Amino acid sequence: MTVTLADVAARAQVSPATVSRVLNGNYPVAASTRERVLKAVDELDYVLNGPASSLAAATSDLVGILVNDIADPFFGIMASAIQSEIGGPGGRAGGERLAVVCNTGGSPERELTYLTLLQRQRAAAVVLTGGAVEDAPHAAAVAAKLRKLTEAGTRVVLCGRPPAPDTGAVAIAFDNRGGGQRLSEHLIGLGHRRLGYIAGPEERTTTRHRLEGHRAALAAAGISEDPGWTVHGPYDRTSGYEATLELLRRDPSLTAVVAANDSVALGACAALRESGLRIPDDVSVAGFDDLPFSMDAVPALTTVRLPLADAGARAGRIAMGREEPPPGGIATVRGELMVRGSSGGPRRAASA
Amino acid sequence: MTVTLADVAARAQVSPATVSRVLNGNYPVAASTRERVLKAVDELDYVLNGPASSLAAATSDLVGILVNDIADPFFGIMASAIQSEIGGPGGRAGGERLAVVCNTGGSPERELTYLTLLQRQRAAAVVLTGGAVEDAPHAAAVAAKLRKLTEAGTRVVLCGRPPAPDTGAVAIAFDNRGGGQRLSEHLIGLGHRRLGYIAGPEERTTTRHRLEGHRAALAAAGISEDPGWTVHGPYDRTSGYEATLELLRRDPSLTAVVAANDSVALGACAALRESGLRIPDDVSVAGFDDLPFSMDAVPALTTVRLPLADAGARAGRIAMGREEPPPGGIATVRGELMVRGSSGGPRRAASA
DNA sequence: TTGGGGATAGAAAGCGCTTGCTGCGATGCT
DNA sequence: AGCATCGCAGCAAGCGCTTTCTATCCCCAA
């Protein structure tokens, strides 16, 4: 069968306790003994039994990272940054932790199930990324879970996600509202008065905040919004493509399209181009997030850069207890407006 | 303290054994008893202790997915597909498994460490994605680990990665060589005779295979390659940008640039544009993978579509034992040539 | 020489769960 | 009516490790 601690102990002629202590390095062991043990470990090719260890020590070295869509670089970039700080293997020394990312696919149930699974594994920490679903019962369920986790000693950090009051979770939130507002202000400043908005899926904090920012900008400029100017859809390219076609159908006189994120914006660009409209001469386009590919669009996308990697790294450090949580357990980081080629002044007169 | 199985048993007035059996549903329990137990579980808000369970049952419900770069959609898409089949939460019924993705960052050591960590956790299955490092000692170490894993009953599947003989691992490999060859043949067929090639990082199977395909195409057409036509670099946009500038410096008369993947190709496009060259009029560009954003490039990228999601799903199913492994434990899936706007016939005469 | 300490090592008691085996009342068959 | 069977529940023995407490051994001060 598989090699156990006892086998190693026998081979090294010491007690299992000593082997355990050598392996954990948390108790004085004579150098000669240690060597003998290490040699035995090596010769036997011994691998610690994780579950047994976790059970006995009542702790585990698992750290969970929840993402909405692992195929989306938005989450990939954050996850990567978080994981690099978790130390995973290869990180700094000290407890080797197994940083794992779990893909919820944006589904509330899966989110909850993963949380339970992590709770089962007695995870050392959990980082939740991205917007939350705003369904009240679900939010309550998640909050309850988070509270239970923190009470059990699991460190919980929200990254790019609004704070969850009274759960003990630390939050690094993005200022989606402010970013959305500045973005639309930019467009309005350019002279646009008829702006279409392709929002994310409904019932999501991110969607709502960005849209609120947009509307605040419109309101501040005294522009009254036509309800038909807003379309909801998933955060992907296809959604942007279709939504744009729909927007154009509803009001061909739009001079700008603001998208919920960069992928959506790319889809919008494609739709616009296929409709024979030039960007930004006929219609300006704006995205959000500033993912790497955004600067490769032609023209390059005007968007709001979110410090995904920085925020992720910080969240990771906090999760590892290597950085002080922000005061109040809440930090909000701003996005930076990136003005590029896809936005310009409206040139054409409104057409029928 | 936390609620244990025994607490639930006491509350439901049954033995711990019965509670365990209700929870695992692998032993007949009278309906009335089951209900009583479930009620107690609910009232006590009981959560199974994962480590204890894994220890006693000598199995775990962890499934590991190793990726080289989680921020790269290439891996994100595969991981997503794999995970969806693993059943993670929300998948089909049956054993709820915790599918976790581990980011190796392309580092051999981290790959090995993650493998050990998963071995520690007695993972139910492990899926390794993407190209392997070709360093001999490392390859041997990985092979040894894989063998040990399979011997311990962990199902090992390689997805988009060449087979590892004598390890018991099942492989779904991509025909990178064939894809690369067809892609270059396409360009050559268009009339190109001077093609630059931006390869991936050295010592990687994927890099080598794609490059071999390219060279095979050149050879078949009787084109003798200038060593200066090939540049190596990481699989990212920046690399493509810089490599293209370098290629242009070395030989301004190139009429086509073939990139190791789509991200690199995008960087190449940017560099070409900034150099005042039109695509494809002055220089044709080709990528590999056909990631979603490739069709949004302007012009859309000619590339080789790899069935990332299909392969991932299949790997996931095999990992779960829900699909028969291919005969011989090895399957090779082809990529499909996608001809789009970025490639065209060479129009200009070679310039100095 | 002798008692006190410091430094190590071992014994053993679990950690919380799974599962083979046993026990026992109810059912089916002859 | 009598015995084999079946269905369901409990007992208890671990799974492989960590850790508290105890036992040595050795060195040094007194």
Side-chain angles (χ1 to χ4, degrees):
Chain A
M1 271 299 293
T2 56
V3 184
T4 72
L5 232 209
D7 298 328
V8 176
R11 172 139 195 153
Q13 318 224 59
V14 297
S15 71
T18 300
V19 177
S20 168
R21 299 205 258 245
V22 167
L23 262 24
N24 291 302
N26 52 10
Y27 192 86
V29 173
S32 62
T33 312
R34 180 199 318 289
E35 267 176 38
R36 208 146 26 92
V37 170
L38 258 16
K39 182 151 163 287
V41 166
D42 205 56
E43 291 170 349
L44 260 29
D45 221 356
Y46 170 68
V47 175
L48 188 70
N49 181 316
S53 170
S54 297
L55 171 57
T59 67
S60 111
D61 49 8
L62 248 193
V63 175
I65 301 173
L66 264 61
V67 302
N68 285 345
D69 181 4
I70 202 180
D72 182 340
F74 174 82
F75 292 100
I77 292 170
M78 273 197 287
S80 176
I82 296 169
Q83 199 162 32
S84 73
E85 288 292 335
I86 295 301
R92 78 220 68 279
E96 292 237 311
R97 301 188 163 298
L98 213 208
V100 303
V101 358
C102 311
N103 191 24
T104 67
S107 140
E109 304 80 55
R110 295 184 68 155
E111 179 168 274
L112 232 28
T113 320
Y114 267 124
L115 248 18
T116 302
L117 246 27
L118 288 165
Q119 185 184 1
R120 260 202 184 122
Q121 303 299 328
R122 305 303 189 246
V126 174
V127 180
L128 291 93
T129 65
V133 171
E134 294 205 289
D135 175 56
H138 172 65
V142 169
K145 240 333 165 227
L146 297 187
R147 197 171 315 120
K148 223 152 272 157
L149 280 165
T150 57
E151 278 168 6
T154 296
R155 220 163 328 217
V156 178
V157 182
L158 307 176
C159 181
R161 191 171 168 124
D166 307 318
T167 57
V170 172
I172 307 286
F174 291 137
D175 178 22
N176 284 309
R177 200 175 178 291
Q181 179 161 0
R182 284 195 297 286
L183 182 61
S184 295
E185 277 169 1
H186 157 70
L187 257 9
I188 293 169
L190 247 25
H192 294 276
R193 290 294 174 275
R194 313 180 64 82
L195 333 197
Y197 190 91
I198 307 175
E202 310 207 45
E203 302 265 286
R204 295 304 243 301
T205 52
T206 307
T207 299
R208 183 164 58 79
H209 293 153
R210 293 184 181 177
L211 182 50
E212 283 175 2
H214 171 68
R215 290 191 166 146
L218 292 184
I223 299 174
S224 68
E225 193 194 5
D226 180 322
W229 288 353
T230 301
V231 179
H232 282 269
Y235 279 119
D236 60 32
R237 180 184 185 283
T238 309
S239 157
Y241 181 88
E242 286 165 4
T244 301
L245 259 22
E246 171 64 21
L247 244 22
L248 251 24
R249 202 172 304 129
R250 293 185 187 172
D251 184 349
S253 71
L254 292 176
T255 63
V257 173
V258 181
N261 76 4
D262 291 346
S263 295
V264 173
L266 247 36
C269 288
L272 254 14
R273 251 189 323 268
E274 289 182 22
S275 302
L277 297 168
R278 289 160 306 162
I279 305 168
D281 309 307
D282 297 319
V283 178
S284 287
V285 175
F288 208 112
D289 294 345
D290 195 25
L291 295 185
F293 57 71
S294 305
M295 63 185 341
D296 281 312
V298 178
L301 222 48
T302 287
T303 184
V304 174
R305 168 174 297 176
L306 250 24
L308 263 21
D310 288 348
R314 186 161 169 208
R317 268 175 270 129
I318 294 174
M320 297 301 287
R322 222 146 16 74
E323 176 174 323
E324 282 304 303
I330 299 179
T332 301
V333 316
R334 287 175 49 125
E336 180 190 357
L337 181 62
M338 306 298 289
V339 175
R340 292 200 277 243
S342 73
S343 62
R347 300 243 181 99
R348 66 169 184 185
S351 57
Chain B
M1 271 301 291
T2 54
V3 183
T4 71
L5 231 211
D7 298 328
V8 176
R11 172 139 195 151
Q13 318 223 58
V14 296
S15 72
T18 302
V19 178
S20 168
R21 300 204 255 244
V22 168
L23 262 24
N24 290 302
N26 52 9
Y27 193 86
V29 172
S32 63
T33 311
R34 179 199 318 289
E35 265 176 41
R36 211 144 26 89
V37 170
L38 258 18
K39 183 151 161 288
V41 165
D42 204 57
E43 291 170 348
L44 260 27
D45 221 357
Y46 170 69
V47 175
L48 189 68
N49 182 316
S53 169
S54 297
L55 170 57
T59 68
S60 110
D61 49 8
L62 247 193
V63 174
I65 301 172
L66 263 60
V67 302
N68 285 344
D69 181 4
I70 200 179
D72 183 340
F74 175 83
F75 292 99
I77 291 169
M78 271 197 288
S80 176
I82 296 169
Q83 199 163 32
S84 74
E85 289 292 336
I86 294 302
R92 79 219 66 277
E96 292 236 311
R97 300 188 165 297
L98 213 208
V100 304
V101 359
C102 308
N103 189 24
T104 66
S107 141
E109 303 82 53
R110 295 185 67 155
E111 179 168 276
L112 232 27
T113 319
Y114 266 124
L115 248 19
T116 303
L117 245 27
L118 287 165
Q119 188 184 0
R120 259 203 183 119
Q121 303 300 327
R122 306 300 189 248
V126 174
V127 180
L128 290 91
T129 64
V133 171
E134 294 205 290
D135 175 56
H138 173 65
V142 169
K145 245 320 169 237
L146 297 187
R147 195 170 317 118
K148 223 153 272 158
L149 280 165
T150 56
E151 279 168 5
T154 295
R155 220 162 330 214
V156 178
V157 182
L158 307 176
C159 181
R161 190 172 168 123
D166 307 317
T167 58
V170 172
I172 307 287
F174 291 136
D175 178 22
N176 284 308
R177 198 173 179 295
Q181 178 162 2
R182 284 195 297 286
L183 182 60
S184 295
E185 277 169 0
H186 157 69
L187 257 8
I188 293 168
L190 248 24
H192 295 275
R193 288 296 174 274
R194 314 180 62 82
L195 332 199
Y197 190 90
I198 308 176
E202 310 206 44
E203 303 265 285
R204 296 301 247 299
T205 52
T206 308
T207 299
R208 182 164 59 79
H209 294 154
R210 291 183 183 177
L211 182 50
E212 283 175 1
H214 171 68
R215 291 194 166 143
L218 292 184
I223 300 175
S224 68
E225 195 194 5
D226 179 323
W229 289 354
T230 301
V231 179
H232 282 268
Y235 277 119
D236 59 32
R237 180 186 183 282
T238 309
S239 158
Y241 182 87
E242 288 165 2
T244 301
L245 259 20
E246 171 65 20
L247 244 23
L248 251 23
R249 202 172 304 130
R250 293 185 187 172
D251 185 350
S253 70
L254 292 175
T255 64
V257 172
V258 182
N261 77 2
D262 291 347
S263 295
V264 172
L266 247 35
C269 289
L272 253 16
R273 252 190 320 268
E274 288 183 21
S275 302
L277 296 168
R278 288 161 307 161
I279 306 166
D281 309 305
D282 296 318
V283 179
S284 286
V285 175
F288 209 112
D289 293 344
D290 194 27
L291 295 185
F293 58 72
S294 305
M295 63 186 337
D296 280 312
V298 178
L301 223 48
T302 286
T303 185
V304 175
R305 168 173 297 177
L306 250 24
L308 263 20
D310 288 348
R314 184 159 171 212
R317 267 175 272 128
I318 294 173
M320 298 299 288
R322 223 146 18 71
E323 176 174 324
E324 281 305 303
I330 299 180
T332 300
V333 315
R334 288 176 48 124
E336 181 190 356
L337 181 62
M338 305 298 288
V339 175
R340 293 201 277 243
S342 73
S343 61
R347 301 242 182 98
R348 67 170 181 183
S351 58

